[in-house]
Amino acid sequence: MDNKTIFVLLLSLVIFPLYASEAAPMGGWSPISDVKDPHIVEIGEFAVSEYNKQNTAGLRFVEVVSGECQVVDGMMYRLIVAVNEGIGIAGLGERKKYEAVVWEKPGSKTMNLKSFKHVM
């Protein structure tokens, strides 16, 4: 082999693993492209409802603002949800955003709220 061939081979051995790790991060979070998808909305509604049950709160789900998903033993969703919180002067609740992390078991409707916290 000539020097040029060896150089190209060595370069590809260095670059390919870097490209592969960026293209498909194992267990990494991937953005959800359509947060208006009915299933994503259902997960957002579940998160708010479950938080209300666990904390005797009165939050009202408005919409999923953004989100990411991660393949684990099932599917993990990290959603930013908009909610109405309380009753304002004009009868409208104050709109706030929360980060909800929900795990869903594959092939079933089993969901588990992992965390729910206020974000700015």
Side-chain angles (χ1 to χ4, degrees), residues 83-99:
V83 301
N84 279 340
E85 188 176 77
I87 304 296
I89 296 169
L92 301 173
E94 183 179 353
R95 186 174 166 144
K96 293 192 176 179
K97 291 180 184 175
Y98 286 81
E99 178 189 83

Side-chain angles (χ1 to χ4, degrees), residues 30-68:
S30 301
I32 297 172
S33 58
D34 182 10
V35 295
K36 303 231 182 277
D37 176 275
H39 186 65
I40 300 302
V41 171
E42 176 186 7
I43 294 167
E45 290 173 335
F46 164 81
V48 174
S49 173
E50 191 65 20
Y51 177 80
N52 284 339
K53 286 179 196 172
Q54 293 176 7
N55 297 280
T56 58
L59 302 180
R60 290 192 339 250
F61 175 82
V62 175
E63 67 180 337
V64 176
V65 176
S66 64
E68 300 173 300

Side-chain angles (χ1 to χ4, degrees), residues 88-119:
I89 296 169
L92 301 173
E94 183 179 353
R95 186 174 166 144
K96 293 192 176 179
K97 291 180 184 175
Y98 286 81
E99 178 189 83
V101 178
V102 176
W103 175 80
E104 182 179 39
K105 183 176 180 180
S108 74
K109 291 287 185 178
T110 303
M111 288 187 247
N112 186 348
L113 181 63
K114 295 295 188 180
S115 68
F116 195 88
K117 62 184 178 183
H118 181 257
V119 294

